[in-house]
């Protein structure tokens, strides 16, 4: 892959979960086990651990942060830090299914970015 934008995940519970997914690959379904011959699907080659110092880094990046509801933790801290820049976007977790992608803009609102289901 020729990725031009770094991809990160926040450490903590997500990192611990990924560690256990790697260890207990035998507990997964047959489709995942079949691909394990080539590589462990939970060994993310292009996703690196996120460090708080990256919040100040210039340029684009993708960060997977928990919790997805943006009510606390790393996701809320990142949201607060980046919300002032209209070039940033947030994609909340699946529990906020009505919001696909929300640009940080004074002229937009979550309702203008919701699905029409």
């Amino acid at each position: 892959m020729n990725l031009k934008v770094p991809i990160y995940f926040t450490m903590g519970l997500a990192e611990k979960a990924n560690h256990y997914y790697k260890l207990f690959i035998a507990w997964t379904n047959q489709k995942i086990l079949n691909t394990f011959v080539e590589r462990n699907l939970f060994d993310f080659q292009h996703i690196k651990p996120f460090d708080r110092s990256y919040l100040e880094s210039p340029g684009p990046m993708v960060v997977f942060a928990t919790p997805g509801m943006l009510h606390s933790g790393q996701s809320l801290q990142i949201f607060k830090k980046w919300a002032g820049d209209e070039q940033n976007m947030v994609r909340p977790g699946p529990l906020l299914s009505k919001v696909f992608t929300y640009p940080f803009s004074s002229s937009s609102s979550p309702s203008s970015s919701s699905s029409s289901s």
Side-chain angles (χ1 to χ4, degrees):
M1 283 183 122
N2 187 17
L3 299 176
K4 295 180 179 19
V5 176
I7 302 172
Y8 301 104
F9 70 92
T10 57
M11 295 181 277
L13 188 56
E15 182 181 36
K16 289 176 186 176
N18 285 334
H19 175 73
Y20 285 107
Y21 295 149
K22 289 177 194 178
L23 286 176
F24 298 108
I25 192 78
W27 293 6
T28 62
N29 67 34
Q30 193 60 45
K31 184 176 180 180
I32 293 174
L33 284 173
N34 292 342
T35 61
F36 184 62
V37 174
E38 297 172 29
R39 71 177 189 90
N40 188 329
L41 286 180
F42 298 103
D43 184 17
F44 305 117
Q45 300 170 356
H46 303 288
I47 302 175
K48 306 296 179 210
F50 182 76
D51 185 274
R52 289 186 117 136
S53 66
Y54 300 163
L55 284 171
E56 305 298 331
S57 297
M61 72 178 74
V62 174
V63 179
F64 293 102
T66 58
M69 293 291 292
L70 298 174
H71 66 283
S72 65
Q74 289 260 342
S75 62
L76 180 60
Q77 292 170 6
I78 293 168
F79 178 81
K80 286 179 177 180
K81 178 70 178 172
W82 290 348
D85 188 338
E86 292 185 5
Q87 292 182 343
N88 294 326
M89 287 191 274
V90 64
R91 167 57 169 94
L95 295 176
L96 296 177
S97 61
K98 295 252 181 212
V99 180
F100 290 124
T101 302
Y102 180 62
F104 300 125
S105 169
S106 57
S107 63
S108 63
S109 68
S111 60
S112 66
S113 299
S114 64
S115 68
S116 58
S117 54

